Amino acid sequence: TGLPKHILTGYWHNFDNPAVELRLRDVPAEYDVVAVAFAEATATPGAVTFAVDPGLSAALGGYTDADFSADVRTLQNRGKKVIISVGGETGRVAVNDAASAVAFADSVHALIQRYGFDGVDIDLENGLNPTYMAQALRSLRAKVGSRLIIAMAPQTIDMQSPGSSYFKLALDIKDILTVVNTQYYNSGAMLGCDRNAAYGQGTVNFIVALACIQLEAGLRPDQVGLGLPAGPGAAGGGIVAPSVVNAALDCLARGTNCGSFRPPRTYPGIRGAMTWSVNWDVSNGNGFARTVAPHLDTLP
C-alpha cells in the first residue's frame, strides 16, 4: 500500500460543525492517512455515494467536487493516502446479502475511480454482517488490486471478543486488511485482555489492555492502531492528552511507560494512531498531530 511502518490517521469532516472547516489540501502534513468522513447510503441497499457537503462548501466560500478531487491528488503528491470512510455515528449502510455486497463493492469502486481514493474505511457503528461485508471487500480488492487500503474503526464493544461481528470480519479478511483503528473513547469502562478487570477510559491502562485483546487474538501488530479523540469537543468521553497516546504506544511497542497493566509481550510493529479528527485537532492547536506523529517515528 506504500504506507510507512507506523502511521498517523486522521478523519476529515465533509460537513460543517463547531470544529474548524478545512479544505482537504489544508490537512496538516503530520497525517499519513486522511479518512474522508463520510460516504453515505443511497436508496439501493449496500450502495454508497459521496459529494462535497453543501454546508461545508458554503462555509469555505465555495468548495466543489472538482476542488476536492484536485486536493486528493495534491495530498497524494505529498506522499499521503486518502481513503473514503463509510458509515459514521449516523450512517445507515447495510451489507446483509450478496446483492448488497455487490452494490457496495461497485459503488465504492466508482468513488475510487472518480475521486482517486486509495482505499476504504469501515466505520459502521450500527452493526454489520461479517460474511457479506467480507465478500464486498474481497470483491473491491479484486477490482483495485493490492494497493487498496482497507481500514476499520470499530467501537470498543465491537472488539471485545473474536466472536463479535466486527472482530470476525477483521480476522476473516486478515490477509487483505491494512489496519483496525479501534475508537478508545465514548465507551465507559471495558474489559482488557486479562479479563479480570474493567479499565476506565481515558487512561494508558484502558488503551493498552483493550489493544492487547486484538494483538493476542489474531491480528498482527501492524494491523492494530489506537484511535483517540483530538481534544475538547471531539468526543463525549475518553479524551486524553497526546502524551498518553505516546505512552500507550511505548508500552505496546517497548514495554515502557506502562500503567499498572502490562501486556504479556511487546509488539514493536504496532501500526500507529488515529484521531477523530483532523478538524478538531486543528481547532485545538494541532497538539495531537504535532505530539504523536514525531513519536511514531521513534518506534522500533
Side-chain angles (χ1 to χ4, degrees):
T1 56
L3 288 168
K5 182 176 182 181
H6 304 291
I7 57 175
L8 178 63
T9 300
Y11 284 83
W12 174 85
H13 296 182
N14 182 44
F15 48 82
D16 179 15
N17 79 346
V20 66
E21 295 85 16
L22 294 171
R23 288 172 173 78
L24 189 65
R25 65 177 177 266
D26 294 328
V27 169
E30 288 88 353
Y31 292 95
D32 301 294
V33 179
V34 181
V36 171
F38 296 97
E40 298 178 347
T42 73
T44 301
V48 298
T49 187
F50 175 83
V52 173
D53 177 72
L56 175 65
S57 177
L60 292 172
Y63 188 54
T64 66
D65 275 17
D67 295 330
F68 175 85
S69 297
D71 285 357
V72 171
R73 292 189 293 274
T74 295
L75 288 188
Q76 290 166 336
N77 288 337
R78 295 173 185 165
K80 312 302 181 181
K81 303 295 184 181
V82 183
I83 61 178
I84 181 67
S85 185
V86 177
E89 182 182 2
T90 61
R92 293 293 181 267
V93 178
V95 178
N96 293 324
D97 54 31
S100 56
V102 170
F104 181 90
D106 287 350
S107 60
V108 174
H109 186 232
L111 294 179
I112 288 172
Q113 290 182 304
R114 178 175 180 184
Y115 293 103
F117 295 122
D118 296 291
V120 64
D121 172 62
I122 307 302
D123 185 16
L124 299 176
E125 300 181 13
N126 298 287
L128 59 77
N129 183 306
T131 300
Y132 292 108
M133 182 54 80
Q135 181 178 312
L137 291 171
R138 288 194 180 281
S139 176
L140 181 63
R141 174 68 147 54
K143 295 172 185 292
V144 177
S146 60
R147 66 180 177 84
L148 180 73
I149 294 170
I150 300 177
M152 297 185 189
Q155 300 170 103
T156 51
I157 190 68
D158 297 324
M159 299 301 285
Q160 283 278 284
S161 164
S164 65
S165 59
Y166 233 117
F167 208 147
K168 185 177 188 309
L169 172 63
L171 294 173
D172 286 351
I173 63 163
K174 181 178 175 179
D175 58 310
I176 61 171
L177 173 66
T178 308
V179 65
V180 178
N181 292 303
T182 302
Q183 302 176 36
Y184 294 117
Y185 49 94
N186 291 343
S187 58
M190 303 291 288
L191 288 172
C193 66
D194 51 354
R195 314 308 284 178
N196 64 10
Y199 295 94
Q201 66 179 355
T203 63
V204 170
N205 280 344
F206 180 86
I207 300 167
V208 173
L210 269 70
C212 170
I213 298 173
Q214 297 169 49
L215 291 159
E216 291 296 310
L219 291 181
R220 302 189 310 265
D222 67 277
Q223 293 176 314
V224 177
L226 312 179
L228 280 307
I239 295 171
V240 298
S243 59
V244 174
V245 182
N246 287 352
L249 288 164
D250 283 342
C251 183
L252 290 163
R254 299 189 179 98
T256 61
N257 292 325
C258 299
S260 58
F261 173 84
R262 300 187 70 86
R265 69 197 91 247
T266 57
Y267 315 93
I270 190 82
R271 198 61 196 257
M274 171 274 278
T275 194
W276 180 269
S277 61
V278 172
N279 301 69
W280 280 115
D281 192 23
V282 172
S283 298
N284 291 313
N286 291 322
F288 193 101
R290 290 176 178 170
T291 304
V292 178
H295 192 71
L296 288 170
D297 293 337
T298 72
L299 296 182

